[in-house]
Amino acid sequence: MKVAVIGTGYVGLVTGTVLAEIGHCVTCIDLDEAKIRQLQSGEPTIYEPGLEELLVKNIARNNLHFTTNHAEAFQHADVILLAVGTPQGTNGEADLSYIQAAAQTIATTVTKDVVVMIKSTVPPGTNDQVEQLIRQQLIQDVKVDVVSNPEFLREGHAVEDAFHGDRIVIGSECAKAGEVVATLYAGLQMPVLHTNRRSAEMIKYAANAFLAVKISYINEIANLCDAIGADVSDVADGMGMDKRIGRAFLNAGIGYGGSCFPKDTEAIAHLAKERQTPLTIVESAIHSNQKQRQRFIDKIERYFHGQVANKKIAILGLAFKPNTDDLREAPSLEIIDALEKKGALISIYDPIITHPKSALSIIECVTEADAVVLVTEWQEFIESDWTAIGASVANRVLFDGRNALPANKLQQAGWTYIGIGKERK
Ligand code: UDX
């Protein structure tokens, strides 16, 4: 099939590339000329494991093209995939201006019947509105159907998820259009769920909000574990052995960040309030997540008896999670900012993100540090020789914001290990 993709962010670029890999002819569109030139040369604009190889391969196979010209991309398209951003608006609502602009461009540019698939995360009812908007403003006498097809890609695993995700959700009001989308994905071995459009839109929000609630729940359990002397990792293991609960997303830490959970929980909570059916559990999870970062900062301050000024604090990890260079809503930024405001001397090391205060290696970062703070659980930190690191610091205390390191081994190497929900009484 011939596919046009609007938006070359995480979702558009990864989905477009994977659709090219399974044999479709894909043209990705973006307004940013420099970005398009970079992608045409086979160089990804984001860090995503496995993407570059597929990009280079499919450009060479002539299956994957990049352009700034909508008309050129739409000319033969059977499907237009909408993957533009839906950032957070001023009151927490989803800002749909990029979606509306794209819908207008589709209406005034398409010259043949086409199915428009909305992959962007949009509030329930948006697919209906987009279809109406396009149909009202169409210039040519063609048929445009809109199908909701939410994405479930995790950054850092996006390529893997695109091939082997848990499900493909297709929300449509027209059986034929739904079948076109199912045919597009036929090369992927994934269960397909057909629903109506609003249910598909809702599935995305309900799933993300549920995962955010699960994280905030275990974080609060961790705080209680600290208070009573239990170990939250063991508690999570024990809970997770119950198949009805599952172990995934029960890792306590400094809270969730990234481009999806913070924005999507706010958007669905905002919509629910507007409709007078508040999602109080989601609202609590949002609040709890904000508090979790502050609790971690307080823990560090308490260790120094409130005197962090002039203490050298080495921060390991900047990204909101490993295997990504994404800093959106990264807890690291808030933690660094708060410690700097209190006069701490910060040094930073992240395997792929650079910062004005970045060191070139872990050892350079921790040299003479009064405390080491692990913010992102990169594999490089987990595999490091903590005895050697211990020889470089001024004071062997480690705050593990992700419970990622083996506490016992560190303690044997002379470290004071302070995790989340692991305080011994
Ligand atoms: C998420 C969803 O997983 C994905 O399905 C959706 O399409 C987009 O949003 P992503 O934001 O890439 O993906 O990251 P994810 O791996 O879900 O992690 C989100 C945040 O939660 C990270 O900050 C991570 O550190 C945190 N997290 C995750 C925890 O604190 N504990 C956990 O147990 C799991």
Side-chain angles (χ1 to χ4, degrees):
M1 286 167 87
K2 297 217 166 11
V3 186
V5 179
I6 308 182
T8 58
Y10 267 95
V11 175
L13 185 57
V14 172
T15 311
T17 306
V18 168
L19 288 175
E21 173 68 12
I22 61 170
H24 300 296
C25 183
V26 180
T27 305
C28 299
I29 314 154
D30 204 291
L31 299 175
D32 184 337
E33 285 189 18
K35 207 170 171 188
I36 288 300
R37 269 197 304 274
Q38 184 177 336
L39 290 168
Q40 279 167 338
S41 73
E43 195 189 326
T45 41
I46 51 168
Y47 175 84
E48 194 59 46
L51 181 62
E52 185 165 6
E53 189 195 330
L54 292 183
L55 199 64
V56 171
K57 180 177 158 195
N58 285 288
I59 292 171
R61 281 167 80 197
N62 212 22
N63 265 6
L64 185 57
H65 307 269
F66 295 93
T67 180
T68 51
N69 186 328
H70 289 86
E72 180 190 315
F74 293 169
Q75 202 179 8
H76 304 290
D78 305 300
V79 172
I80 298 173
L81 195 156
L82 237 172
V84 294
T86 50
Q88 194 169 316
T90 37
N91 297 315
E93 79 283 7
D95 173 353
L96 298 176
S97 49
Y98 296 113
I99 292 276
Q100 281 152 359
Q104 242 140 26
T105 307
I106 292 171
T108 52
T109 316
V110 285
T111 52
K112 67 186 278 287
D113 293 357
V114 72
V115 172
V116 173
M117 273 164 62
I118 302 192
K119 266 220 169 288
S120 312
T121 302
V122 290
T126 306
N127 276 259
D128 294 358
Q129 288 159 14
V130 169
E131 187 173 86
Q132 210 179 11
L133 191 153
I134 295 176
R135 286 182 179 174
Q136 278 166 356
Q137 301 197 8
L138 271 176
I139 289 181
Q140 307 280 339
D141 181 20
V142 294
K143 185 160 192 296
V144 178
D145 288 299
V146 173
V147 174
S148 167
N149 173 232
E151 57 85 18
F152 301 100
L153 308 177
R154 292 166 302 164
E155 289 182 23
H157 298 268
V159 173
E160 181 193 325
D161 285 349
F163 281 111
H164 308 290
D166 291 333
R167 75 301 211 188
I168 291 166
V169 174
I170 301 175
S172 71
E173 303 301 324
C174 157
K176 211 171 141 205
E179 278 316 310
V180 169
V181 176
T183 309
L184 183 72
Y185 288 118
L188 299 171
Q189 307 303 316
M190 273 194 248
V192 176
L193 179 69
H194 287 272
T195 68
N196 68 28
R197 277 198 298 230
R198 288 181 189 222
S199 305
E201 293 169 316
M202 192 63 200
I203 286 170
K204 172 62 196 264
Y205 278 109
N208 268 4
F210 184 81
L211 293 171
V213 166
K214 204 173 174 190
I215 295 169
S216 284
Y217 179 77
I218 199 66
N219 283 340
E220 292 200 348
I221 293 291
N223 300 338
L224 182 57
C225 284
D226 268 343
I228 62 166
D231 183 324
V232 74
S233 300
D234 291 341
V235 173
D237 286 346
M239 287 170 64
M241 288 167 85
D242 185 328
K243 290 191 192 66
R244 294 168 302 175
I245 298 173
R247 179 64 177 83
F249 280 71
L250 283 182
N251 294 321
I254 46 180
Y256 58 78
S259 62
C260 289
F261 287 173
K263 155 177 96 70
D264 295 347
T265 46
E266 288 283 357
I268 197 65
H270 179 88
L271 180 84
K273 224 180 200 163
E274 229 176 44
R275 302 293 168 93
Q276 276 96 44
T277 52
L279 291 173
T280 54
I281 294 175
V282 178
E283 286 171 12
S284 292
I286 295 169
H287 182 61
S288 169
N289 193 57
Q290 281 155 355
K291 276 204 337 214
Q292 196 65 7
R293 297 175 187 187
Q294 188 55 47
R295 285 184 79 96
F296 189 59
I297 297 162
D298 293 346
K299 234 181 198 181
I300 299 170
E301 237 193 316
R302 236 183 354 262
Y303 174 83
F304 289 110
H305 307 290
Q307 307 295 317
V308 287
N310 296 318
K311 293 284 185 292
K312 182 176 172 190
I313 301 190
I315 305 283
L316 296 184
L318 279 174
F320 81 95
K321 66 171 194 176
N323 299 317
T324 175
D325 59 356
D326 200 336
L327 270 173
R328 283 176 286 180
E329 298 289 329
S332 63
L333 302 178
E334 201 174 317
I335 293 164
I336 291 168
D337 190 48
L339 291 173
E340 278 190 323
K341 283 205 175 104
K342 292 176 198 298
L345 310 169
I346 299 290
S347 64
I348 299 169
Y349 175 72
D350 183 282
I352 59 169
I353 307 178
T354 47
H355 180 275
K357 297 209 163 94
S358 276
L360 294 174
S361 67
I362 301 180
I363 291 290
E364 188 188 318
C365 177
V366 303
T367 298
E368 290 303 312
D370 295 299
V372 178
V373 177
L374 187 142
V375 176
T376 316
E377 67 277 35
W378 283 96
Q379 198 57 28
E380 185 177 340
F381 304 149
I382 297 167
E383 287 167 1
S384 285
D385 178 350
W386 284 89
T387 306
I389 295 175
S392 298
V393 296
N395 180 32
R396 270 178 253 166
V397 59
L398 178 104
F399 293 89
D400 185 350
R402 298 292 181 182
N403 288 344
L405 301 177
N408 288 346
K409 272 196 191 157
L410 265 100
Q411 279 154 355
Q412 279 161 18
W415 286 85
T416 299
Y417 176 91
I418 303 174
I420 309 280
K422 288 172 173 288
E423 256 172 51
R424 297 300 289 265
K425 293 284 165 205

